[in-house]
Amino acid sequence: MNHLILFDIDGTLVAGGPAKGAFHHALLEVYGTAGDVDGLDFSGKTDPQIARELLSGAGLADEAIDAGLPDLFACYLGELEHRLGDDPVRVLPGVPDLLDALSGAGDVALGLLTGNIAGGADLKLGSARLRERFDVGSFGSDSEVRDELPPVALERAAGHWSVEFDPGRVWIVGDTPRDVGCAQAHGLRSLAVATGRFSSAELASTGADHVVDSLGSTGAIVDLLTRLVP
Ligand SMILES: [Mg+2]
């Protein structure tokens, strides 16, 4: 394995689905408030970070927030699973073909790097029949801070494939400035894709290594991600 490609989930691989409503429901169940759930920008944030920002904004202390997180996420996962039956996530254009092509390239390892807690990632990607495409991942349940997730993914990838990946051949693919930022924090490459809330111009201004409008140009993206750079 020469290359490791780590994909974000929401806005990158899939869109839509019932997660926000399920999260809102679980916040109300466990804390009695969801804070400013319609006003907060969720983009690129981890699930526990979103919970903390919403609940802090509603006046809760960190100790009270921390005490409720296990119940919050248990409630969220139950609600998410229930709701996904009627409202599955939508796979974004080009994603299955790109994953096929990368898997077929032979020396490309595929993983996840997402702010979703692991159980939420499993449910969302399972509803889109994409979960089995990824052998490793790092998740919002590993750290509340997205910038701390790349080393977790690299360690799991090294263990899974028995390879120490060269940082110059590790790409993070995501739809927000936070995806780009967590790659930059660790000297990894970043491919930003404008299928979420951010435009190509906004993503280009982050200093991403490459920006695309969608993951639809399979051949060009495979060439980019598997290029051997000095
Ligand atoms: Mg995203």
Side-chain angles (χ1 to χ4, degrees), residues 28-45:
L28 289 175
E29 279 286 311
V30 174
Y31 295 97
T33 176
D36 185 15
V37 74
D38 292 321
L40 183 73
D41 176 16
F42 285 35
S43 303
K45 295 180 181 173

mmCIF file of all heavy atoms in Angstrom, residues 28-45:
data_model
loop_
_atom_site.group_PDB
_atom_site.id
_atom_site.type_symbol
_atom_site.label_atom_id
_atom_site.label_comp_id
_atom_site.label_asym_id
_atom_site.label_seq_id
_atom_site.Cartn_x
_atom_site.Cartn_y
_atom_site.Cartn_z
ATOM 1 N N LEU A 28 -33.019 17.053 23.321
ATOM 2 C CA LEU A 28 -34.205 17.390 24.122
ATOM 3 C C LEU A 28 -34.495 16.297 25.142
ATOM 4 O O LEU A 28 -34.825 16.587 26.299
ATOM 5 C CB LEU A 28 -35.416 17.592 23.204
ATOM 6 C CG LEU A 28 -35.395 18.852 22.340
ATOM 7 C CD1 LEU A 28 -36.597 18.862 21.382
ATOM 8 C CD2 LEU A 28 -35.400 20.111 23.207
ATOM 9 N N GLU A 29 -34.363 15.044 24.721
ATOM 10 C CA GLU A 29 -34.636 13.917 25.623
ATOM 11 C C GLU A 29 -33.707 13.932 26.832
ATOM 12 O O GLU A 29 -34.128 13.706 27.955
ATOM 13 C CB GLU A 29 -34.424 12.590 24.878
ATOM 14 C CG GLU A 29 -35.570 12.148 24.022
ATOM 15 C CD GLU A 29 -36.737 11.623 24.830
ATOM 16 O OE1 GLU A 29 -36.529 10.778 25.730
ATOM 17 O OE2 GLU A 29 -37.848 12.114 24.581
ATOM 18 N N VAL A 30 -32.431 14.158 26.581
ATOM 19 C CA VAL A 30 -31.419 13.961 27.626
ATOM 20 C C VAL A 30 -31.161 15.234 28.430
ATOM 21 O O VAL A 30 -30.976 15.181 29.645
ATOM 22 C CB VAL A 30 -30.112 13.426 26.999
ATOM 23 C CG1 VAL A 30 -28.985 13.356 28.029
ATOM 24 C CG2 VAL A 30 -30.366 12.059 26.367
ATOM 25 N N TYR A 31 -31.163 16.390 27.755
ATOM 26 C CA TYR A 31 -30.804 17.637 28.449
ATOM 27 C C TYR A 31 -31.994 18.577 28.634
ATOM 28 O O TYR A 31 -31.868 19.583 29.326
ATOM 29 C CB TYR A 31 -29.716 18.381 27.678
ATOM 30 C CG TYR A 31 -28.389 17.652 27.609
ATOM 31 C CD1 TYR A 31 -28.048 16.881 26.498
ATOM 32 C CD2 TYR A 31 -27.467 17.732 28.660
ATOM 33 C CE1 TYR A 31 -26.842 16.218 26.423
ATOM 34 C CE2 TYR A 31 -26.240 17.079 28.590
ATOM 35 C CZ TYR A 31 -25.938 16.320 27.469
ATOM 36 O OH TYR A 31 -24.731 15.665 27.402
ATOM 37 N N GLY A 32 -33.091 18.300 27.957
ATOM 38 C CA GLY A 32 -34.245 19.184 28.050
ATOM 39 C C GLY A 32 -34.128 20.450 27.220
ATOM 40 O O GLY A 32 -35.012 21.294 27.240
ATOM 41 N N THR A 33 -33.027 20.574 26.486
ATOM 42 C CA THR A 33 -32.853 21.707 25.577
ATOM 43 C C THR A 33 -31.960 21.264 24.420
ATOM 44 O O THR A 33 -31.125 20.366 24.595
ATOM 45 C CB THR A 33 -32.188 22.917 26.257
ATOM 46 O OG1 THR A 33 -31.975 23.955 25.280
ATOM 47 C CG2 THR A 33 -30.844 22.560 26.876
ATOM 48 N N ALA A 34 -32.176 21.863 23.268
ATOM 49 C CA ALA A 34 -31.288 21.613 22.131
ATOM 50 C C ALA A 34 -30.498 22.863 21.778
ATOM 51 O O ALA A 34 -29.809 22.896 20.772
ATOM 52 C CB ALA A 34 -32.090 21.124 20.921
ATOM 53 N N GLY A 35 -30.602 23.880 22.619
ATOM 54 C CA GLY A 35 -29.882 25.114 22.324
ATOM 55 C C GLY A 35 -30.325 25.696 20.990
ATOM 56 O O GLY A 35 -31.441 25.439 20.523
ATOM 57 N N ASP A 36 -29.440 26.424 20.351
ATOM 58 C CA ASP A 36 -29.763 27.083 19.080
ATOM 59 C C ASP A 36 -29.441 26.148 17.919
ATOM 60 O O ASP A 36 -28.564 26.412 17.109
ATOM 61 C CB ASP A 36 -28.957 28.385 18.972
ATOM 62 C CG ASP A 36 -29.334 29.185 17.733
ATOM 63 O OD1 ASP A 36 -30.400 28.895 17.127
ATOM 64 O OD2 ASP A 36 -28.561 30.087 17.365
ATOM 65 N N VAL A 37 -30.200 25.033 17.875
ATOM 66 C CA VAL A 37 -29.857 23.977 16.911
ATOM 67 C C VAL A 37 -30.027 24.445 15.466
ATOM 68 O O VAL A 37 -29.351 23.950 14.565
ATOM 69 C CB VAL A 37 -30.684 22.700 17.223
ATOM 70 C CG1 VAL A 37 -32.126 22.871 16.807
ATOM 71 C CG2 VAL A 37 -30.067 21.460 16.598
ATOM 72 N N ASP A 38 -30.901 25.399 15.237
ATOM 73 C CA ASP A 38 -31.081 25.891 13.866
ATOM 74 C C ASP A 38 -30.088 26.995 13.508
ATOM 75 O O ASP A 38 -29.892 27.289 12.333
ATOM 76 C CB ASP A 38 -32.511 26.409 13.677
ATOM 77 C CG ASP A 38 -33.515 25.268 13.726
ATOM 78 O OD1 ASP A 38 -33.204 24.183 13.187
ATOM 79 O OD2 ASP A 38 -34.591 25.449 14.335
ATOM 80 N N GLY A 39 -29.458 27.582 14.518
ATOM 81 C CA GLY A 39 -28.542 28.681 14.247
ATOM 82 C C GLY A 39 -27.087 28.276 14.163
ATOM 83 O O GLY A 39 -26.272 28.985 13.581
ATOM 84 N N LEU A 40 -26.752 27.120 14.737
ATOM 85 C CA LEU A 40 -25.341 26.714 14.778
ATOM 86 C C LEU A 40 -24.913 26.098 13.451
ATOM 87 O O LEU A 40 -25.637 25.287 12.877
ATOM 88 C CB LEU A 40 -25.127 25.696 15.914
ATOM 89 C CG LEU A 40 -23.676 25.251 16.118
ATOM 90 C CD1 LEU A 40 -22.858 26.378 16.755
ATOM 91 C CD2 LEU A 40 -23.601 24.007 17.002
ATOM 92 N N ASP A 41 -23.726 26.450 13.001
ATOM 93 C CA ASP A 41 -23.139 25.826 11.813
ATOM 94 C C ASP A 41 -22.465 24.517 12.231
ATOM 95 O O ASP A 41 -21.522 24.528 13.007
ATOM 96 C CB ASP A 41 -22.127 26.794 11.204
ATOM 97 C CG ASP A 41 -21.411 26.184 10.013
ATOM 98 O OD1 ASP A 41 -21.897 25.158 9.484
ATOM 99 O OD2 ASP A 41 -20.367 26.724 9.621
ATOM 100 N N PHE A 42 -22.970 23.402 11.717
ATOM 101 C CA PHE A 42 -22.437 22.077 12.069
ATOM 102 C C PHE A 42 -21.218 21.688 11.220
ATOM 103 O O PHE A 42 -20.546 20.709 11.517
ATOM 104 C CB PHE A 42 -23.500 20.993 11.835
ATOM 105 C CG PHE A 42 -24.609 20.927 12.856
ATOM 106 C CD1 PHE A 42 -25.115 22.060 13.473
ATOM 107 C CD2 PHE A 42 -25.162 19.698 13.188
ATOM 108 C CE1 PHE A 42 -26.152 21.985 14.405
ATOM 109 C CE2 PHE A 42 -26.199 19.601 14.123
ATOM 110 C CZ PHE A 42 -26.689 20.742 14.725
ATOM 111 N N SER A 43 -20.962 22.434 10.144
ATOM 112 C CA SER A 43 -20.037 21.976 9.099
ATOM 113 C C SER A 43 -18.650 21.638 9.623
ATOM 114 O O SER A 43 -17.968 22.502 10.184
ATOM 115 C CB SER A 43 -19.876 23.052 8.034
ATOM 116 O OG SER A 43 -21.117 23.391 7.482
ATOM 117 N N GLY A 44 -18.262 20.405 9.422
ATOM 118 C CA GLY A 44 -16.900 19.995 9.738
ATOM 119 C C GLY A 44 -16.636 19.802 11.221
ATOM 120 O O GLY A 44 -15.510 19.504 11.607
ATOM 121 N N LYS A 45 -17.655 19.975 12.048
ATOM 122 C CA LYS A 45 -17.464 19.818 13.492
ATOM 123 C C LYS A 45 -17.740 18.380 13.908
ATOM 124 O O LYS A 45 -18.497 17.665 13.253
ATOM 125 C CB LYS A 45 -18.389 20.776 14.253
ATOM 126 C CG LYS A 45 -18.045 22.251 13.994
ATOM 127 C CD LYS A 45 -18.975 23.187 14.759
ATOM 128 C CE LYS A 45 -18.608 24.640 14.461
ATOM 129 N NZ LYS A 45 -19.581 25.597 15.047
#
